[in-house]
Amino acid sequence: MNCTISTMDEVSLNREPVYDDEVEEFEIDGECAMTEYVGQNGNVMQGENPLPPSVGMEFESYDDVYYFYNCYAKEQGFGVRVSNTWYRKSKEKYRGKLSCSSAGFKKKSEANRPRRETRTGCPAMIKYRLMENKRWRIIEVELDHNHLMNPISGKFYKSHRMMGLGSKRPLLMDNADEVPNIRLFRTVVIDSKDSGILNFDEGVLRNDVDLPNNQLNLKPGDAQEMLNFFAHMQLMDPNFFYVMDLDEKGRLRNVFWAEARCRAAYGYFGDVMMIDTRSLSDKYEVPLLVFTGINHHGQSVLFGCGLVANDAIDSFIWLFRAWITYMVGRPPQTIITDQSKSLKNAVMEVFPRAFHGFSLPNIMKKVPDELEGLQEYDSIRMAFTSAVYHSLRADEFEASWNEMVRRHGMGDHKWLQALYEDRKQWTPVYLKETFFAGAFPLKQDESLASPFEGYLDRQTSIKDFLNSYDKAVQEAYKREALCDLESMNSSCVIKSRFYFELQLSKLYTNDIMKKFQDEIEGMYSSYSTRQINIDGPVVTYLVKEDIQVEENSRVTRNYEVTYNTSAAEVICLCGLFNFRGYLCRHALSVISQIGLEEIPPQYILTRWRKDIKRAYIYDYGRNGIDINSPVHRYDNLYKCVVKVAEEGRKSYDRYKFTLQALNEILNKVNLQEDYR
């Protein structure tokens, strides 16, 4: 199938209207639904995933909307039916709704043998209407289905065999030679001067005074800067992805973008994800939301970014859906966010199977603001900290918390009440069964650096942030590459006589190994490891440790460690393995006492290993490459050729010259001998 896609800017910055004959057209081989995204410069990105319908898409005819949605439905594995069509008195169509064939339910039949119910009340649908420019624009989209879909069975749906609605045009879904052309416009020309709509005045963007709360707050030049940024990123990374959320009037609400490396990194480290909304809570000028994880060095790794109009649930839901779509529908096991009702509801909506935890450091930062005005604040703060960080069991936390509330008369304190209601999402004592991979700090002085640390503060403008974005991510990639190099070429100095330290030093990256060595050193403050119970193959040990609870105060705590002899499974009451991803000093003390020389294999995690070949590579940018690496050489040459192609396409003469020059280069390269 050939599908002609006409593209215009996502947000048109033209001073004069752009007419059809000014729009560049591109012939794309493959089914029309195989186009993921049409860039603002007309660059077409192709991928495995079909292009989903989105608000703002425009089509030349009513039939084209149906055909496009039917193509998408066939690729996804569901059928389509027309739910509603609205007509004017002149019998002209002006509005329509297409739904999944499983939408609604069949009417009850009084027949003796009624047909079985095959519908599920599926909510997936699109709504579209005829605009003043005589194009049909999608105005509402629901992509989620409430039933299983199978692309292989898509060919059996009636909509994929029937005639095009309103015409005699057949929907030849499998005949590549006879498929009609569809012109898809992603055109939103924003030119209104009223109601706070973004206005393009002589090519300069401004925001009117009464800016709606559900619209991205942009300053003059921000929209152009954003489009320039996306164009630059696509040039440097052909697999760079971005998508914009527009309302019915063409106003920009939310934006999401991610590099190809983000999806590759998520494939390795996507078990735990943090969603950083500090820019929203602290009222930064850049309303940035950052998706991050933890890499094999314990560093933050970027999974994607977004700008949102506000901190309402609808903004978060749109952004989360954009992210999960880019990640091919694979959600993380654990998600950590700030404590927020909107975030809580949005995560529940988009990631219903993931565990949702709240950031403990963010909660602790709010303690002074929420409690400092109370009498005996210092005493309250100490009691709060002790209950959170030093409770080993749930009943200890409950008792400490209730005593703090009773003693200081804080039973009606709303912030504390909200915290207590959500305690199972942020208090360590309740989170020991959840895996966090180091993304949940257990000490007050611990924190995780943002990928944009040093590049973003309250006063940073959108323009300045976008200009420094590439530098920030390149620095993060370089830090990871340098740590990779250090770990491959050297190992940490062995500090003990335990063989399992030598064992892991050969496997783990140096940064993770140093953290594991802290636990080995902690074994010397753990003492009196003794057996207290036997229940079949499960043996329970008691390990004592002196821990510091205040600056000049230490107490002795008892940690129960169970060891299953048949499964070589060791579990400690402190839960450090799930929090950090390596065994604690108490478990190591038991392993040492029973004579195990090596760490059981289930406690050696692949995500920390330095000998794993990861598919993504560091982009050495413009400062040179590792000429000894064929992957790096290919990566750099590819980017150079893309730049040449971009310049060569601009005119016929340039095209001829570029083609001739490339052929000459290829002939010379083929004649070049390899010297070693």
Side-chain angles (χ1 to χ4, degrees), residues 5 29 52 59 63 111 113 144 181 193 195 243 274 359 384 392 443 455 466 530 536 553 599 602 635 647 676:
I5 298 184
D29 293 329
F59 300 80
D63 284 0
R113 299 181 62 184
D144 290 342
N181 290 338
K193 298 183 180 180
S195 304
V243 62
M274 297 164 287
S359 169
F384 185 95
L392 282 180
K443 297 180 180 179
Y455 290 91
L466 294 177
R530 60 188 179 89
S553 176
I599 301 293
Q602 65 266 38
D635 187 55
E647 293 298 320
R676 296 189 181 275

PDB file of all heavy atoms in Angstrom, residues 5 29 52 59 63 111 113 144 181 193 195 243 274 359 384 392 443 455 466 530 536 553 599 602 635 647 676:
ATOM      1  N   ILE A   5       1.132  11.079   2.591  1.00  0.00           N
ATOM      2  CA  ILE A   5       0.882  11.838   3.807  1.00  0.00           C
ATOM      3  C   ILE A   5       1.362  13.258   3.596  1.00  0.00           C
ATOM      4  O   ILE A   5       2.531  13.492   3.326  1.00  0.00           O
ATOM      5  CB  ILE A   5       1.591  11.223   5.004  1.00  0.00           C
ATOM      6  CG1 ILE A   5       1.059   9.817   5.228  1.00  0.00           C
ATOM      7  CG2 ILE A   5       1.409  12.070   6.236  1.00  0.00           C
ATOM      8  CD1 ILE A   5       1.623   9.155   6.443  1.00  0.00           C
ATOM      9  N   ASP A  29       6.245   3.721   1.453  1.00  0.00           N
ATOM     10  CA  ASP A  29       5.972   2.323   1.186  1.00  0.00           C
ATOM     11  C   ASP A  29       5.518   1.643   2.458  1.00  0.00           C
ATOM     12  O   ASP A  29       6.066   1.865   3.520  1.00  0.00           O
ATOM     13  CB  ASP A  29       7.226   1.630   0.643  1.00  0.00           C
ATOM     14  CG  ASP A  29       7.597   2.155  -0.727  1.00  0.00           C
ATOM     15  OD1 ASP A  29       6.679   2.541  -1.479  1.00  0.00           O
ATOM     16  OD2 ASP A  29       8.801   2.188  -1.023  1.00  0.00           O
ATOM     17  N   PRO A  52      -1.187   5.849  15.871  1.00  0.00           N
ATOM     18  CA  PRO A  52      -2.497   5.893  16.526  1.00  0.00           C
ATOM     19  C   PRO A  52      -3.197   7.200  16.208  1.00  0.00           C
ATOM     20  O   PRO A  52      -2.551   8.221  15.946  1.00  0.00           O
ATOM     21  CB  PRO A  52      -2.141   5.816  18.006  1.00  0.00           C
ATOM     22  CG  PRO A  52      -0.783   6.425  18.091  1.00  0.00           C
ATOM     23  CD  PRO A  52      -0.082   6.072  16.807  1.00  0.00           C
ATOM     24  N   PHE A  59      -8.248  15.242   7.880  1.00  0.00           N
ATOM     25  CA  PHE A  59      -8.360  14.438   6.674  1.00  0.00           C
ATOM     26  C   PHE A  59      -9.225  15.187   5.664  1.00  0.00           C
ATOM     27  O   PHE A  59     -10.056  16.027   6.030  1.00  0.00           O
ATOM     28  CB  PHE A  59      -8.998  13.080   6.987  1.00  0.00           C
ATOM     29  CG  PHE A  59      -8.220  12.263   7.981  1.00  0.00           C
ATOM     30  CD1 PHE A  59      -8.318  12.501   9.351  1.00  0.00           C
ATOM     31  CD2 PHE A  59      -7.371  11.261   7.548  1.00  0.00           C
ATOM     32  CE1 PHE A  59      -7.593  11.761  10.262  1.00  0.00           C
ATOM     33  CE2 PHE A  59      -6.640  10.501   8.463  1.00  0.00           C
ATOM     34  CZ  PHE A  59      -6.748  10.753   9.818  1.00  0.00           C
ATOM     35  N   ASP A  63     -14.746   9.746   4.482  1.00  0.00           N
ATOM     36  CA  ASP A  63     -14.307   8.381   4.202  1.00  0.00           C
ATOM     37  C   ASP A  63     -12.856   8.161   4.600  1.00  0.00           C
ATOM     38  O   ASP A  63     -12.474   7.071   5.050  1.00  0.00           O
ATOM     39  CB  ASP A  63     -14.477   8.070   2.716  1.00  0.00           C
ATOM     40  CG  ASP A  63     -15.931   7.814   2.348  1.00  0.00           C
ATOM     41  OD1 ASP A  63     -16.781   7.877   3.253  1.00  0.00           O
ATOM     42  OD2 ASP A  63     -16.205   7.553   1.167  1.00  0.00           O
ATOM     43  N   ALA A 111     -36.009 -14.177  21.318  1.00  0.00           N
ATOM     44  CA  ALA A 111     -35.970 -15.420  20.551  1.00  0.00           C
ATOM     45  C   ALA A 111     -35.683 -16.606  21.470  1.00  0.00           C
ATOM     46  O   ALA A 111     -35.119 -16.455  22.554  1.00  0.00           O
ATOM     47  CB  ALA A 111     -34.892 -15.332  19.467  1.00  0.00           C
ATOM     48  N   ARG A 113     -33.637 -19.022  20.934  1.00  0.00           N
ATOM     49  CA  ARG A 113     -32.191 -19.267  21.004  1.00  0.00           C
ATOM     50  C   ARG A 113     -31.443 -17.983  20.629  1.00  0.00           C
ATOM     51  O   ARG A 113     -30.927 -17.838  19.519  1.00  0.00           O
ATOM     52  CB  ARG A 113     -31.796 -20.408  20.057  1.00  0.00           C
ATOM     53  CG  ARG A 113     -32.468 -21.734  20.391  1.00  0.00           C
ATOM     54  CD  ARG A 113     -32.027 -22.817  19.430  1.00  0.00           C
ATOM     55  NE  ARG A 113     -30.596 -23.064  19.520  1.00  0.00           N
ATOM     56  CZ  ARG A 113     -29.943 -23.917  18.717  1.00  0.00           C
ATOM     57  NH1 ARG A 113     -30.606 -24.588  17.778  1.00  0.00           N
ATOM     58  NH2 ARG A 113     -28.643 -24.091  18.859  1.00  0.00           N
ATOM     59  N   ASP A 144      -7.826   3.138  24.722  1.00  0.00           N
ATOM     60  CA  ASP A 144      -7.836   1.937  25.565  1.00  0.00           C
ATOM     61  C   ASP A 144      -9.044   1.048  25.282  1.00  0.00           C
ATOM     62  O   ASP A 144     -10.173   1.535  25.143  1.00  0.00           O
ATOM     63  CB  ASP A 144      -7.839   2.330  27.042  1.00  0.00           C
ATOM     64  CG  ASP A 144      -6.516   2.942  27.460  1.00  0.00           C
ATOM     65  OD1 ASP A 144      -5.535   2.744  26.726  1.00  0.00           O
ATOM     66  OD2 ASP A 144      -6.478   3.600  28.512  1.00  0.00           O
ATOM     67  N   ASN A 181      -4.816   6.613  -2.096  1.00  0.00           N
ATOM     68  CA  ASN A 181      -4.004   7.518  -1.292  1.00  0.00           C
ATOM     69  C   ASN A 181      -4.873   8.250  -0.280  1.00  0.00           C
ATOM     70  O   ASN A 181      -5.990   8.658  -0.580  1.00  0.00           O
ATOM     71  CB  ASN A 181      -3.311   8.549  -2.175  1.00  0.00           C
ATOM     72  CG  ASN A 181      -2.226   7.926  -3.035  1.00  0.00           C
ATOM     73  OD1 ASN A 181      -1.716   6.868  -2.709  1.00  0.00           O
ATOM     74  ND2 ASN A 181      -1.892   8.579  -4.130  1.00  0.00           N
ATOM     75  N   LYS A 193      -7.248  35.592  18.400  1.00  0.00           N
ATOM     76  CA  LYS A 193      -6.767  36.605  19.337  1.00  0.00           C
ATOM     77  C   LYS A 193      -7.615  36.668  20.594  1.00  0.00           C
ATOM     78  O   LYS A 193      -7.472  37.566  21.401  1.00  0.00           O
ATOM     79  CB  LYS A 193      -6.747  37.972  18.656  1.00  0.00           C
ATOM     80  CG  LYS A 193      -5.802  38.033  17.462  1.00  0.00           C
ATOM     81  CD  LYS A 193      -5.773  39.423  16.864  1.00  0.00           C
ATOM     82  CE  LYS A 193      -4.834  39.482  15.660  1.00  0.00           C
ATOM     83  NZ  LYS A 193      -4.802  40.834  15.057  1.00  0.00           N
ATOM     84  N   SER A 195      -9.897  34.646  23.897  1.00  0.00           N
ATOM     85  CA  SER A 195     -10.049  33.520  24.831  1.00  0.00           C
ATOM     86  C   SER A 195      -8.736  32.917  25.260  1.00  0.00           C
ATOM     87  O   SER A 195      -8.671  31.757  25.624  1.00  0.00           O
ATOM     88  CB  SER A 195     -10.922  32.430  24.190  1.00  0.00           C
ATOM     89  OG  SER A 195     -12.163  32.978  23.815  1.00  0.00           O
ATOM     90  N   VAL A 243       5.507  13.989  20.663  1.00  0.00           N
ATOM     91  CA  VAL A 243       4.091  14.116  20.353  1.00  0.00           C
ATOM     92  C   VAL A 243       3.525  15.265  21.166  1.00  0.00           C
ATOM     93  O   VAL A 243       3.958  15.539  22.287  1.00  0.00           O
ATOM     94  CB  VAL A 243       3.341  12.794  20.652  1.00  0.00           C
ATOM     95  CG1 VAL A 243       3.425  12.448  22.132  1.00  0.00           C
ATOM     96  CG2 VAL A 243       1.889  12.872  20.201  1.00  0.00           C
ATOM     97  N   MET A 274      11.009   6.278  38.302  1.00  0.00           N
ATOM     98  CA  MET A 274      10.679   7.455  39.097  1.00  0.00           C
ATOM     99  C   MET A 274      10.113   8.527  38.179  1.00  0.00           C
ATOM    100  O   MET A 274      10.635   8.735  37.073  1.00  0.00           O
ATOM    101  CB  MET A 274      11.924   7.972  39.814  1.00  0.00           C
ATOM    102  CG  MET A 274      12.505   6.985  40.811  1.00  0.00           C
ATOM    103  SD  MET A 274      14.205   7.408  41.286  1.00  0.00           S
ATOM    104  CE  MET A 274      15.083   6.950  39.786  1.00  0.00           C
ATOM    105  N   SER A 359       7.788   9.239  47.124  1.00  0.00           N
ATOM    106  CA  SER A 359       9.188   9.555  47.408  1.00  0.00           C
ATOM    107  C   SER A 359       9.360   9.963  48.868  1.00  0.00           C
ATOM    108  O   SER A 359       8.819  10.986  49.302  1.00  0.00           O
ATOM    109  CB  SER A 359       9.670  10.681  46.489  1.00  0.00           C
ATOM    110  OG  SER A 359      10.922  11.162  46.897  1.00  0.00           O
ATOM    111  N   PHE A 384       8.981  11.903  64.644  1.00  0.00           N
ATOM    112  CA  PHE A 384       8.571  11.581  63.272  1.00  0.00           C
ATOM    113  C   PHE A 384       9.681  10.792  62.567  1.00  0.00           C
ATOM    114  O   PHE A 384       9.440   9.731  61.969  1.00  0.00           O
ATOM    115  CB  PHE A 384       8.268  12.874  62.519  1.00  0.00           C
ATOM    116  CG  PHE A 384       7.727  12.674  61.130  1.00  0.00           C
ATOM    117  CD1 PHE A 384       6.366  12.675  60.893  1.00  0.00           C
ATOM    118  CD2 PHE A 384       8.578  12.495  60.052  1.00  0.00           C
ATOM    119  CE1 PHE A 384       5.863  12.495  59.612  1.00  0.00           C
ATOM    120  CE2 PHE A 384       8.102  12.307  58.774  1.00  0.00           C
ATOM    121  CZ  PHE A 384       6.731  12.314  58.555  1.00  0.00           C
ATOM    122  N   LEU A 392      11.275  -1.402  62.739  1.00  0.00           N
ATOM    123  CA  LEU A 392      11.573  -2.639  62.009  1.00  0.00           C
ATOM    124  C   LEU A 392      10.315  -3.408  61.630  1.00  0.00           C
ATOM    125  O   LEU A 392      10.304  -4.139  60.651  1.00  0.00           O
ATOM    126  CB  LEU A 392      12.472  -3.543  62.850  1.00  0.00           C
ATOM    127  CG  LEU A 392      13.956  -3.182  62.900  1.00  0.00           C
ATOM    128  CD1 LEU A 392      14.711  -4.171  63.778  1.00  0.00           C
ATOM    129  CD2 LEU A 392      14.560  -3.162  61.502  1.00  0.00           C
ATOM    130  N   LYS A 443      18.182   6.455  54.068  1.00  0.00           N
ATOM    131  CA  LYS A 443      18.826   7.332  55.035  1.00  0.00           C
ATOM    132  C   LYS A 443      18.488   8.780  54.703  1.00  0.00           C
ATOM    133  O   LYS A 443      18.258   9.123  53.551  1.00  0.00           O
ATOM    134  CB  LYS A 443      20.336   7.125  55.020  1.00  0.00           C
ATOM    135  CG  LYS A 443      20.765   5.724  55.438  1.00  0.00           C
ATOM    136  CD  LYS A 443      22.283   5.585  55.393  1.00  0.00           C
ATOM    137  CE  LYS A 443      22.720   4.189  55.808  1.00  0.00           C
ATOM    138  NZ  LYS A 443      24.197   4.019  55.738  1.00  0.00           N
ATOM    139  N   TYR A 455      21.256  22.246  35.503  1.00  0.00           N
ATOM    140  CA  TYR A 455      20.774  22.844  34.252  1.00  0.00           C
ATOM    141  C   TYR A 455      19.354  23.396  34.370  1.00  0.00           C
ATOM    142  O   TYR A 455      18.842  23.975  33.418  1.00  0.00           O
ATOM    143  CB  TYR A 455      20.804  21.807  33.125  1.00  0.00           C
ATOM    144  CG  TYR A 455      22.199  21.446  32.684  1.00  0.00           C
ATOM    145  CD1 TYR A 455      22.883  20.384  33.272  1.00  0.00           C
ATOM    146  CD2 TYR A 455      22.844  22.176  31.693  1.00  0.00           C
ATOM    147  CE1 TYR A 455      24.174  20.049  32.883  1.00  0.00           C
ATOM    148  CE2 TYR A 455      24.127  21.852  31.287  1.00  0.00           C
ATOM    149  CZ  TYR A 455      24.792  20.792  31.884  1.00  0.00           C
ATOM    150  OH  TYR A 455      26.070  20.476  31.496  1.00  0.00           O
ATOM    151  N   LEU A 466      15.802  24.077  26.798  1.00  0.00           N
ATOM    152  CA  LEU A 466      15.907  23.313  25.555  1.00  0.00           C
ATOM    153  C   LEU A 466      17.294  23.468  24.927  1.00  0.00           C
ATOM    154  O   LEU A 466      17.836  22.528  24.346  1.00  0.00           O
ATOM    155  CB  LEU A 466      14.821  23.748  24.570  1.00  0.00           C
ATOM    156  CG  LEU A 466      13.377  23.445  24.990  1.00  0.00           C
ATOM    157  CD1 LEU A 466      12.398  23.984  23.961  1.00  0.00           C
ATOM    158  CD2 LEU A 466      13.161  21.949  25.192  1.00  0.00           C
ATOM    159  N   ARG A 530      23.093 -16.011  66.107  1.00  0.00           N
ATOM    160  CA  ARG A 530      22.773 -17.306  66.723  1.00  0.00           C
ATOM    161  C   ARG A 530      21.457 -17.851  66.179  1.00  0.00           C
ATOM    162  O   ARG A 530      20.551 -17.101  65.811  1.00  0.00           O
ATOM    163  CB  ARG A 530      22.699 -17.182  68.239  1.00  0.00           C
ATOM    164  CG  ARG A 530      21.660 -16.228  68.768  1.00  0.00           C
ATOM    165  CD  ARG A 530      21.790 -16.023  70.275  1.00  0.00           C
ATOM    166  NE  ARG A 530      20.801 -15.093  70.786  1.00  0.00           N
ATOM    167  CZ  ARG A 530      19.589 -15.448  71.210  1.00  0.00           C
ATOM    168  NH1 ARG A 530      19.232 -16.725  71.187  1.00  0.00           N
ATOM    169  NH2 ARG A 530      18.755 -14.539  71.683  1.00  0.00           N
ATOM    170  N   GLY A 536      11.438 -27.280  59.738  1.00  0.00           N
ATOM    171  CA  GLY A 536      11.735 -28.007  58.508  1.00  0.00           C
ATOM    172  C   GLY A 536      13.036 -27.494  57.904  1.00  0.00           C
ATOM    173  O   GLY A 536      14.067 -27.413  58.577  1.00  0.00           O
ATOM    174  N   SER A 553      23.912   8.992  69.846  1.00  0.00           N
ATOM    175  CA  SER A 553      23.181   7.922  70.516  1.00  0.00           C
ATOM    176  C   SER A 553      23.159   6.660  69.656  1.00  0.00           C
ATOM    177  O   SER A 553      22.884   6.731  68.453  1.00  0.00           O
ATOM    178  CB  SER A 553      21.738   8.368  70.810  1.00  0.00           C
ATOM    179  OG  SER A 553      20.988   7.324  71.379  1.00  0.00           O
ATOM    180  N   ILE A 599      27.715 -16.146  47.075  1.00  0.00           N
ATOM    181  CA  ILE A 599      26.353 -15.616  47.134  1.00  0.00           C
ATOM    182  C   ILE A 599      25.472 -16.484  46.246  1.00  0.00           C
ATOM    183  O   ILE A 599      25.832 -16.766  45.091  1.00  0.00           O
ATOM    184  CB  ILE A 599      26.312 -14.155  46.636  1.00  0.00           C
ATOM    185  CG1 ILE A 599      27.227 -13.267  47.489  1.00  0.00           C
ATOM    186  CG2 ILE A 599      24.887 -13.621  46.619  1.00  0.00           C
ATOM    187  CD1 ILE A 599      26.763 -13.092  48.907  1.00  0.00           C
ATOM    188  N   GLN A 602      20.476 -16.375  42.791  1.00  0.00           N
ATOM    189  CA  GLN A 602      19.283 -15.531  42.689  1.00  0.00           C
ATOM    190  C   GLN A 602      19.486 -14.154  43.302  1.00  0.00           C
ATOM    191  O   GLN A 602      18.672 -13.246  43.092  1.00  0.00           O
ATOM    192  CB  GLN A 602      18.068 -16.217  43.328  1.00  0.00           C
ATOM    193  CG  GLN A 602      18.157 -16.454  44.832  1.00  0.00           C
ATOM    194  CD  GLN A 602      18.689 -17.831  45.172  1.00  0.00           C
ATOM    195  OE1 GLN A 602      19.579 -18.336  44.497  1.00  0.00           O
ATOM    196  NE2 GLN A 602      18.135 -18.458  46.208  1.00  0.00           N
ATOM    197  N   ASP A 635      27.894   4.689  13.942  1.00  0.00           N
ATOM    198  CA  ASP A 635      26.980   5.679  14.491  1.00  0.00           C
ATOM    199  C   ASP A 635      27.340   7.082  14.019  1.00  0.00           C
ATOM    200  O   ASP A 635      26.476   7.861  13.602  1.00  0.00           O
ATOM    201  CB  ASP A 635      27.013   5.599  16.020  1.00  0.00           C
ATOM    202  CG  ASP A 635      25.964   6.486  16.663  1.00  0.00           C
ATOM    203  OD1 ASP A 635      24.787   6.330  16.322  1.00  0.00           O
ATOM    204  OD2 ASP A 635      26.335   7.326  17.501  1.00  0.00           O
ATOM    205  N   GLU A 647      20.608  18.225   3.345  1.00  0.00           N
ATOM    206  CA  GLU A 647      20.966  19.341   2.472  1.00  0.00           C
ATOM    207  C   GLU A 647      20.705  18.993   1.010  1.00  0.00           C
ATOM    208  O   GLU A 647      20.266  19.841   0.231  1.00  0.00           O
ATOM    209  CB  GLU A 647      22.442  19.712   2.673  1.00  0.00           C
ATOM    210  CG  GLU A 647      22.759  20.290   4.033  1.00  0.00           C
ATOM    211  CD  GLU A 647      22.019  21.594   4.286  1.00  0.00           C
ATOM    212  OE1 GLU A 647      21.917  22.414   3.350  1.00  0.00           O
ATOM    213  OE2 GLU A 647      21.518  21.773   5.415  1.00  0.00           O
ATOM    214  N   ARG A 676      46.769  -1.990   9.017  1.00  0.00           N
ATOM    215  CA  ARG A 676      46.750  -2.274  10.453  1.00  0.00           C
ATOM    216  C   ARG A 676      48.089  -1.898  11.056  1.00  0.00           C
ATOM    217  O   ARG A 676      49.115  -2.021  10.455  1.00  0.00           O
ATOM    218  CB  ARG A 676      46.452  -3.753  10.698  1.00  0.00           C
ATOM    219  CG  ARG A 676      45.053  -4.151  10.213  1.00  0.00           C
ATOM    220  CD  ARG A 676      44.699  -5.552  10.660  1.00  0.00           C
ATOM    221  NE  ARG A 676      43.394  -5.936  10.178  1.00  0.00           N
ATOM    222  CZ  ARG A 676      42.266  -5.654  10.793  1.00  0.00           C
ATOM    223  NH1 ARG A 676      42.287  -4.964  11.919  1.00  0.00           N
ATOM    224  NH2 ARG A 676      41.109  -6.047  10.304  1.00  0.00           N
TER     225      ARG A 676
END
